[in-house]
């Protein structure tokens, strides 16, 4: 069909229909959402799951987390494979767009890193591209700190470093991103890893809401790192 031959009013109607289809797809599919809010993102688009690249595989799992079909997810990959961009930046924004009354706790090996993720998520939620997809979701006017903010629908986002207190906070989605620093990873002292696991079991895990999900994304360092201990447990 030669679109240039269509009357102007039909072109406008067609554009609105296509835009509406994109918005609906971005709300329902994580990878499509990523492509809408991150124009420079490049991934392998394969039709058959057997041909999927790692971006499609991770996105499929995160879709299932959002749908409640996966309650525990561990993503282990080397650095620079977009795992943190997906799990700690884009996922929280998309999750709150779909469920703006839910609560998220974001952790990383330092509070500074965790709050940095919070700032990126907050800024994305406040962006024009995001509002086009989720027009009814916004930041609560009096709650816009980078590591601690709320949505206008009662949702909460809270960022904390490993070892920090989470008293009084709940999580429908708990994200743990690289709980061990590179220095810790190079350590031969197993107590370094035990300390992180003890913090996880006595702190964040106890704050999980009924039916909540946990996503752990990290580079493996040791058999007794958090991933290793979670698998053993």
């Amino acid at each position: 069909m030669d679109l240039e031959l269509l009357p102007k009013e039909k072109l406008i109607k067609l554009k609105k229909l296509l835009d509406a289809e994109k918005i609906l797809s971005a709300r329902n599919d994580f990878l499509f959402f990523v492509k809408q809010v991150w124009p420079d993102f490049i991934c392998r688009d394969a039709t058959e799951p057997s041909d999927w690249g790692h971006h499609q595989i991770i996105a499929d799992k995160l879709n299932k987390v959002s749908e409640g079909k996966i309650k525990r997810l561990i993503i282990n990959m080397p650095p620079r494979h977009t795992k943190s961009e997906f799990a700690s930046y884009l996922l929280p924004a998309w999750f709150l767009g779909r469920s703006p009354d839910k609560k998220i706790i974001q952790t990383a090996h330092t509070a500074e890193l965790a709050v940095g993720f919070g700032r990126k998520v907050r800024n994305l939620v406040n962006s024009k591209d995001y509002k086009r997809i989720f027009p009814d979701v916004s930041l609560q006017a009096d709650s816009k700190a980078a590591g601690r903010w709320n949505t206008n629908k009662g949702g909460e986002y809270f960022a904390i470093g490993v070892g920090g207190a989470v008293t009084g906070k709940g999580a429908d989605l708990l994200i743990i991103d690289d709980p061990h620093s590179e220095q810790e990873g190079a350590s031969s002292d197993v107590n370094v890893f035990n300390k992180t696991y003890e913090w996880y079991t006595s702190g964040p895990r106890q704050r999980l809401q009924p039916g909540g999900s946990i996503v752990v994304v990290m580079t493996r360092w040791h058999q007794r790192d958090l991933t290793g201990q979670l698998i053993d447990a």
Side-chain angles (χ1 to χ4, degrees), residues 202-219:
S202 63
R205 193 181 69 179
Q206 301 299 325
R207 312 312 303 173
L208 200 64
Q209 302 274 84
S213 300
I214 302 174
V215 175
V216 177
V217 51
M218 60 178 287
T219 299

Side-chain angles (χ1 to χ4, degrees), residues 68-190:
K69 296 177 181 178
I70 292 179
K71 300 295 185 182
R72 303 290 186 272
L73 177 65
I74 297 175
I75 301 170
N76 293 145
M77 301 188 75
R80 313 304 301 172
H81 277 70
T82 325
K83 61 184 186 297
S84 289
E85 291 291 304
F86 269 30
S88 296
Y89 167 44
L90 296 160
L91 173 63
W94 183 67
F95 184 86
L96 288 174
R98 288 164 55 87
S99 303
D101 60 334
K102 299 294 187 181
K103 305 176 190 301
I104 294 177
I105 292 179
Q106 170 77 54
T107 75
H109 63 264
T110 67
E112 182 181 6
L113 185 58
V115 170
F117 287 135
R119 182 176 294 106
K120 289 183 67 175
V121 179
R122 180 200 63 186
N123 292 347
L124 177 55
V125 170
N126 209 31
S127 70
K128 290 182 180 180
D129 287 338
Y130 186 89
K131 293 181 183 299
R132 182 172 59 85
I133 299 168
F134 298 111
D136 296 329
V137 181
S138 62
L139 300 174
Q140 188 172 299
D142 60 348
S143 177
K144 296 183 179 180
R148 183 180 298 187
W149 45 267
N150 301 76
T151 72
N152 61 326
K153 304 293 185 180
E156 296 180 3
Y157 180 99
F158 180 66
I160 192 170
V162 168
V166 290
T167 305
K169 295 297 178 182
D172 295 289
L173 176 62
L174 168 62
I175 303 170
I176 301 176
D177 190 320
D178 276 332
H180 309 293
S181 67
E182 290 190 32
Q183 291 76 16
E184 290 174 341
S187 173
S188 58
D189 183 3
V190 72

Side-chain angles (χ1 to χ4, degrees), residues 1-12 14:
M1 177 187 296
D2 190 345
L3 297 180
E4 294 182 357
L5 298 179
L6 288 176
K8 183 178 180 181
E9 59 272 14
K10 287 191 175 182
L11 277 173
I12 293 173
L14 179 60

